[in-house]
Structures are given as C-alpha cells and as structure tokens.
Amino acid sequence: MQRPSDPMERLLFDALTHAEIPFTMDPHPDNLGLDFYLPQEEVYVEVKQFHSDRIANQMARAPNVIALQGRGAVLMFCSLVQRPKDEK
C-alpha cells in the first residue's frame, strides 16, 4: 500500500503501520470516501488538517467514524495508537 501524499493522513498511516494495526485506505466495498478503514474494529477514520464544511456529510456515511481534525489531534491519536500494548 502506498503512503498517502496528504501529510496528516501520512502521520496516521505511519502510526497504524508501526503498531501493526490492520487497515486499508481503499476502505470498504461501499466506497464511502473516508480516509481509513480498520476492519478488525469496523471503524473508519477521517483525517482533516483544518475544518471542512463537508465533514458532516462524511461522518454520516458510516456508523462508526473517528474524526481527527488538526495536527494536534492527529499527533495525539497517533501516540495512543503506538503505545506498547502493556501501557494501553
């Protein structure tokens, strides 16, 4: 899978890869247009550097969506994802 060109998506891509959490960026057979799909958790993740008016529409596309908006939110989430299992 190719690393995304978007810098915020790249941060999450690297964190999920490092933590060995299965994910895809070609999310779901329904092609919901969300950035990441974590199949084991059946959760989508949408990453935004800045607020976007279309986020409400994107959040309505699936029942379980985590929205990460802003570099600080993305970095914090990535640090949680990468914690050793005994610290989680």
Side-chain angles (χ1 to χ4, degrees):
M1 182 179 336
Q2 187 174 357
R3 283 178 85 215
S5 59
D6 179 273
M8 297 297 102
E9 291 177 16
R10 202 166 40 240
L11 289 169
L12 185 55
F13 179 97
D14 292 344
L16 293 171
T17 301
H18 181 266
E20 298 179 349
I21 296 173
F23 71 94
T24 181
M25 293 191 72
D26 186 20
H28 195 269
D30 296 334
N31 190 20
L32 300 175
L34 298 166
D35 294 324
F36 294 85
Y37 179 61
L38 287 61
Q40 289 182 338
E41 292 80 12
E42 297 182 8
V43 169
Y44 295 85
V45 182
E46 180 62 27
V47 179
K48 299 281 187 217
Q49 184 166 1
F50 305 105
H51 174 74
S52 167
D53 290 337
R54 66 189 188 120
I55 188 83
N57 180 279
Q58 289 175 296
M59 297 295 287
R61 294 179 188 169
N64 298 304
V65 181
I66 297 170
L68 300 174
Q69 180 179 296
R71 184 172 178 81
V74 172
L75 290 172
M76 189 213 114
F77 188 81
C78 290
S79 72
L80 293 172
V81 164
Q82 294 181 84
R83 278 190 184 168
K85 289 184 182 6
D86 60 342
E87 290 183 27
K88 290 183 182 177

